[in-house]
Amino acid sequence: MEDIRNLGEIQLSCLREVGNIGAGHAATALSKLLHSDIQMNVPRVSVVGFDEIADVVGGAEQLVIGIFLRIEGELPGSIFFLLHQESAKRLVSGLVGEYGSSEHDEFSEMEISALQEIGNILAGSYLSSLADFTKKDTSPTPPALAVDMAGAILSIGMIQLGQVSDYALVVDTEFRQGELEIHGHFFLLPDPGSVNILFQSLGVESA
C-alpha cells in the first residue's frame, strides 16, 4: 500500500489545484445559499498523521464543529471538516439571521441544519472537482455533525473508520465574507489503494 507521507511537491500541487477549483465551485454555491459574497481559496495542502489532526485545529481539547462523511465510489475514503465554534457561527449568521443562538455557546437546530447543508455543499464541490479531474465516480454520504472537543470527534471517527487510515491529507480552506475571514480544515483520509488510483487518473506518478 502506498504511503501518503511521501507525497512530493508535484502531487501536493496537483491536489492543491483540485482543491482550488473545488473551492471556487463551493464559493459560488455558498454565496447563493448565504445571500452574501463568499470567496474561498486553498493556501496549503499537506499530510499529517491521524493523531496530529487535533493539533492542526488547536489541540485535542479545542471545541470545534466537526462534519464527517464517507466518500463512496471509485475513490473511497473519508472526510472530516473542522471549524472553530466562533467561525461556524459567523459562517451561518447570514443564513439564520442574528437571532437563534448567536449569544450562546449552543447551536440552535436551525444553525445545525445550516452547517450540515454547508458541509454538503463543500464536500460536493470538492468531490465534483476531483471527479472532473480523475474521471472517476465519487459521491458523499449524508454528513454527520458533532459539536465537541476535537479529540472526541476524531476518536469517534476513527472507530467508524475501523482505523483504515493512519494519515490524512490536510486541505486548509479560507473563507472570506466581506472583511470577515474564516479558516477551516478539510482532512481527506483515503482508503487503501485510493491514492494510487487518484494519481494514476491524474497522470501523475504516485509517491
Side-chain angles (χ1 to χ4, degrees):
M1 185 181 71
E2 74 285 349
D3 188 341
I4 66 173
R5 289 175 297 178
N6 296 324
L7 292 183
E9 184 55 37
I10 293 177
Q11 290 87 7
L12 292 175
S13 294
C14 193
L15 290 170
R16 191 178 299 113
E17 181 63 19
V18 172
N20 275 319
I21 292 175
H25 294 325
T28 299
L30 285 177
S31 294
K32 294 179 180 179
L33 179 69
L34 301 175
H35 306 292
S36 175
D37 183 33
I38 303 292
Q39 297 180 347
M40 292 176 60
N41 72 307
V42 175
R44 187 173 67 100
V45 175
S46 58
V47 178
V48 300
F50 190 92
D51 57 357
E52 299 175 283
I53 291 178
D55 295 335
V56 175
V57 297
E61 296 184 357
Q62 176 68 51
L63 187 65
V64 297
I65 286 72
I67 297 171
F68 173 80
L69 53 90
R70 284 286 298 167
I71 305 168
E72 298 181 339
E74 296 179 273
L75 293 171
S78 300
I79 287 177
F80 282 95
F81 181 60
L82 301 182
L83 273 172
H84 289 177
Q85 185 180 33
E86 183 179 354
S87 293
K89 282 186 172 291
R90 289 176 178 175
L91 188 60
V92 301
S93 64
L95 187 60
V96 304
E98 296 300 326
Y99 55 92
S101 61
S102 59
E103 296 181 357
H104 305 283
D105 291 338
E106 297 82 6
F107 283 80
S108 68
E109 290 185 10
M110 188 178 296
E111 287 172 323
I112 292 293
S113 177
L115 286 169
Q116 287 176 322
E117 181 60 25
I118 289 171
N120 267 331
I121 289 173
L122 292 173
S125 297
Y126 278 93
L127 292 183
S128 175
S129 173
L130 191 62
D132 288 344
F133 265 77
T134 63
K135 309 304 179 186
K136 299 291 184 182
D137 291 329
T138 63
S139 61
T141 63
L145 186 144
V147 182
D148 207 332
M149 292 186 294
I153 290 175
L154 295 170
S155 294
I156 294 172
M158 181 58 88
I159 292 171
Q160 292 179 337
L161 288 173
Q163 300 197 13
V164 167
S165 302
D166 293 324
Y167 293 87
L169 292 166
V170 183
V171 182
D172 290 335
T173 304
E174 292 181 348
F175 302 81
R176 287 188 176 86
Q177 193 174 14
E179 297 297 320
L180 179 64
E181 290 189 4
I182 298 172
H183 299 274
H185 303 278
F186 265 103
F187 298 93
L188 171 62
L189 290 81
D191 284 3
S194 290
V195 173
N196 280 337
I197 295 172
L198 168 62
F199 289 117
Q200 288 170 2
S201 301
L202 295 172
V204 177
E205 289 187 3
S206 58

